[in-house]
Amino acid sequence: MIEARFHLTRPGDPPFVLSVEVQAPSVGVTALFGASGSGKTTLLRAIAGLEKIAGGFLKIGEAVWQDQGIFVPTHQRPLGYVFQEASLFSHLSVRENLEYGARRSGGCDERQMQQTAEMLGIAHLLHRDPVTLSGGERQRVAIGRALLTRPQVLLMDEPLASLDQTRKREVLPYVQRLHRDLKIPVLYVSHSPDEVAQLADHIIVLEAGRVVACGPLGETLANVETPIRLGEEAGVVLEGCIGERDERWSLARVDFVGGGIWTRDTGCVMGARVRLRVLARDVSLSCEEPVGSSILNYFPCEIAGQTGDEHPGLLLVRLDVGGSPLLARLTRRSAEALGVVRGKRIWAQVKAAAVVG
Amino acid sequence: MPEESLVSLALTFRLAAVTTFVLLLAGVPLAWWLSQTRSRWRGVAGALVTLPVVLPPTVLGFYLLLLMGPHGPVGQFTRWMGLGLLPFTFAGLVVASVIQKLPFVVQPIQNAFEAMGRRPLEVAASLRASPLDAFFTVALPLARPGILTGAVLGFAHTVGEFGVVLMIGGNIPGVTRVAAVQIYNHVEAMEYAQAHLLAAVLLLLSFIAMQAVYFLNRNKVVVA
């Protein structure tokens, strides 16, 4: 368990405020999500000890890193930190960069070095000079360098934000692999709903320096009581596995608790665990079973709640599909015509869903 | 080349080498402090270090002469230490040159430390390097072009020094009569040929020094 309490006000116009009391689980990836200026990077830096916020409290597992009269300096905290820009040491080779942290945290094991380098696809770059690497390669080296210090917690500050789309797609699979293989908690700062949907297990949503929502990813995203302002990106993430593959039409069915959704076959093997992202704008409602529609996926469900969307003409409706949540976005006019009330049985049609990892 | 010219050249290089060595020992920590501190003394300290750039060498030399002379506090201290008086000695020249050349060494090094920013040090800290460790293994190597530039500038400036040397060291052959002073002596004595020879050596040396500085700074900041 990671427990952090920080309160900070910095003068300015408007003043910068950070006032958080958060807990993150000691397994899995916890996303610190929010717009720029929401305080997520400051919070991460405070956890790393790079920012000294007086009166703060920070406990990682059993170890207190900050409290009254206690401030463990960054270099004595067993953490790994991946910065937004890779920040490799330009006077050292890739290998020396990797060894820098490893040497200072209990020695450098050649086998572990090779393993990490292979996991991140940088084994062939070890002798290179960092300035000759692409942005994506640099960021992978930076991740490896942080991991080789055998950290107890990995802090990542928008590690993909400085990369273009192509490089992002190149690095993301490695980060997802970390997510699968790593036994330590990861705090991942991001402002991209896409990355969060692919990587996070838990989410802490920051707005203007305050926590507005936190909890397991699926539940938190689908919560209409404290909606996260995602606009077009509003939606849910469902955990499921590949239940059937239809080779003739190149489709695969992802089964989740309460139903199954046919989606484009991305080549995952039968039974593979995947995440499915369903955006609210791709879900529509119908009072009758929508036979004779081009939409493949529809199921009966129950209306579990609703909230206004960012636009006054729109609504976000939470649905319960046999235990799994879905969000649907519709106009208030349609909602009235359909008679959307809590508890009503209705048909949901899913126009599109994407396997995100 | 006449013997007295050679003697003055040898003295000049000895002075420049010792001065540069002392300048680096003092200048690197000073530049580091100036680049990192948020102390309110930073402005005053920076101005004091930079002062010799605009101060006439004779003015600086005059005050140093008073300070290090038999009635000055530094002079009384060196006497009490049993070192005698510094003016008109080689050691006195070194002290004066170090103070006079400090800005030329400190500024490029300070610029290099500042251009580096805090990020490399934060990265080092996140990789378990203590501040001292990070200074030696990250800050110093990254600032190397700046440090070399400072060393070259400090050396070249000392080789060419005239005013302060004349005030503090006078004109003693083999002890304080450096090349620049020797050239002045040659010209005074209408020995233009000898003056030419020494002047050419200094000209060539200065040109080489500037080439080195240019070479060191050709691709200034590399960020990976």
Side-chain angles (χ1 to χ4, degrees), chain B:
Chain B
M1 198 179 280
E3 166 125 31
E4 52 185 353
S5 292
L6 285 175
V7 168
S8 75
L9 267 184
L11 176 70
T12 304
F13 287 129
R14 193 154 68 92
L15 175 65
V18 175
T19 301
T20 307
F21 178 72
V22 178
L23 275 171
L24 285 181
L25 277 189
V28 171
L30 188 57
W32 177 251
W33 180 77
L34 284 170
S35 72
Q36 302 295 311
T37 184
R38 287 172 198 154
S39 156
R40 59 204 174 93
W41 296 107
R42 185 182 178 219
V44 177
L48 276 178
V49 169
T50 323
L51 201 58
V53 173
V54 290
L55 202 63
T58 44
V59 173
L60 181 70
F62 174 64
Y63 282 119
L64 285 177
L65 197 58
L66 291 187
L67 276 175
M68 302 194 298
H71 303 297
V74 178
Q76 284 171 352
F77 176 74
T78 51
R79 244 189 193 162
W80 177 77
M81 293 276 288
L83 298 170
L85 289 171
L86 290 176
F88 311 111
T89 65
F90 182 75
L93 276 193
V94 172
V95 171
S97 301
V98 165
I99 293 171
Q100 161 86 5
K101 306 311 172 199
L102 203 53
F104 302 102
V105 178
V106 167
Q107 273 190 341
I109 303 178
Q110 186 185 341
N111 289 345
F113 283 142
E114 278 168 3
M116 191 169 79
R118 298 211 45 82
R119 183 49 56 81
L121 301 169
E122 292 185 349
V123 173
S126 80
L127 296 170
R128 316 277 190 281
S130 69
L132 195 67
D133 183 0
F135 173 74
F136 282 108
T137 56
V138 174
L140 276 191
L142 286 178
R144 210 178 67 163
I147 294 170
L148 290 176
T149 299
V152 171
L153 285 178
F155 189 90
H157 267 281
T158 309
V159 165
E161 186 45 47
F162 181 74
V164 165
V165 169
L166 215 52
M167 294 296 284
I168 295 292
N171 202 345
I172 308 165
V175 180
T176 63
R177 187 186 286 171
V178 295
V181 175
Q182 182 66 47
I183 293 172
Y184 182 76
N185 287 345
H186 283 314
V187 174
E188 284 272 89
M190 306 286 271
E191 299 160 350
Y192 278 29
Q194 281 97 323
H196 257 312
L197 213 55
L198 262 183
V201 171
L202 293 200
L203 178 67
L204 186 70
L205 199 90
S206 304
F207 179 72
I208 293 171
M210 285 305 105
Q211 275 290 304
V213 169
Y214 178 77
F215 179 77
L216 285 168
N217 291 282
R218 69 200 183 286
N219 39 9
K220 197 127 196 187
V221 181
V222 182
V223 183

Side-chain angles (χ1 to χ4, degrees), chain A residues 14-25:
Chain A
F16 175 82
V17 176
L18 180 70
S19 179
V20 294
E21 296 191 10
V22 293
Q23 296 191 337

